[in-house]
Amino acid sequence: MNSWATLDLPPLAKGITFPQLSLFNSESRKVEKLPVQDIYRLYVCGITPYDATHLGHAATYLTFDLVNRYLRARGAEVRFVQNITDIDDPLLERAHRDGVDWKDLAQSQIDLFRGDMTDLHVIPPKDYIGVVEAMTLVVDAVQKLKNANTTYEVGSDIYYRVHSDSEFGERSHYS
């Protein structure tokens, strides 16, 4: 899947010094300095395209864009990846409600999102992948979880058995 239009990022003036970036670490529950590296991997969860983007989306993507720009300005390579959940219950429900094909609804909302990100001058991800195009990977991953007996079913839905992982929730501090 294609993301949105690339941006021209002009180089900054020479001699600029940057303070070290500090971010909140959900595992330690403290603000910590981000280690200085040559390469960073940045994953940002994408939208589920069943309705128009909104200010909450803009706040999320602009925040991560600032981090991305800061790391690049310091001279680091940023490997930025974003997904898009282009098939999900809310999308299917809205398509059914509105009497439209779910693929057409998804595409129209993805196009709106791309336009919004272009208008906001958000740096596009290098890799932008939709669930539909990654479905074989999803099926394989679920099958591995089933083979490891770490899932359970409710009706036709398959859920991950969180208690099968003794470390589940440690970083987030969720039970």
Side-chain angles (χ1 to χ4, degrees):
M1 178 178 293
N2 295 323
S3 57
W4 48 92
T6 59
L7 299 174
D8 179 38
L9 297 173
L12 296 175
K14 301 287 184 205
I16 295 176
T17 57
F18 294 90
Q20 193 168 359
L21 181 61
S22 296
L23 299 171
F24 181 76
N25 181 332
S26 59
E27 185 174 17
S28 69
R29 294 184 173 172
K30 295 178 184 172
V31 174
E32 299 176 1
K33 291 190 182 302
L34 185 68
V36 176
Q37 301 172 186
D38 292 331
I39 300 172
Y40 293 90
R41 297 181 317 159
L42 179 63
Y43 167 77
V44 181
C45 189
I47 63 164
T48 301
Y50 66 93
D51 209 344
T53 53
H54 50 71
L55 285 176
H57 292 130
T60 297
Y61 301 115
L62 288 172
T63 299
F64 281 100
D65 189 62
L66 286 173
V67 172
N68 190 354
R69 288 170 185 270
Y70 172 87
L71 297 172
R72 289 169 187 254
R74 285 197 67 167
E77 177 185 343
V78 180
R79 296 180 181 167
F80 174 26
V81 175
Q82 188 173 44
N83 76 311
I84 190 154
T85 309
D86 55 351
I87 184 165
D88 196 19
D89 289 344
L91 172 65
L92 298 174
E93 290 163 4
R94 176 163 176 220
H96 177 74
R97 181 197 76 194
D98 295 352
V100 297
D101 183 89
W102 66 269
K103 293 176 189 172
D104 293 338
L105 175 60
Q107 191 59 56
S108 71
Q109 300 309 304
I110 291 167
D111 290 344
L112 281 172
F113 177 73
R114 285 181 181 132
D116 289 344
M117 294 300 102
T118 299
D119 290 345
L120 291 169
H121 299 280
V122 170
I123 297 171
K126 179 182 179 293
D127 296 296
Y128 191 60
I129 187 165
V131 172
V132 170
E133 65 186 315
M135 193 54 70
T136 57
L137 298 171
V138 173
V139 170
D140 290 346
V142 171
Q143 190 58 54
K144 286 179 185 175
L145 292 172
K146 286 178 78 172
N147 293 346
N149 198 30
T150 58
T151 62
Y152 64 96
E153 295 183 20
V154 176
S156 61
D157 294 330
I158 302 169
Y159 293 89
Y160 177 65
R161 193 178 304 279
V162 296
H163 298 295
S164 65
D165 180 355
S166 62
E167 296 179 0
F168 185 85
E170 284 193 11
R171 287 193 174 127
S172 63
H173 300 280
Y174 290 141
S175 62

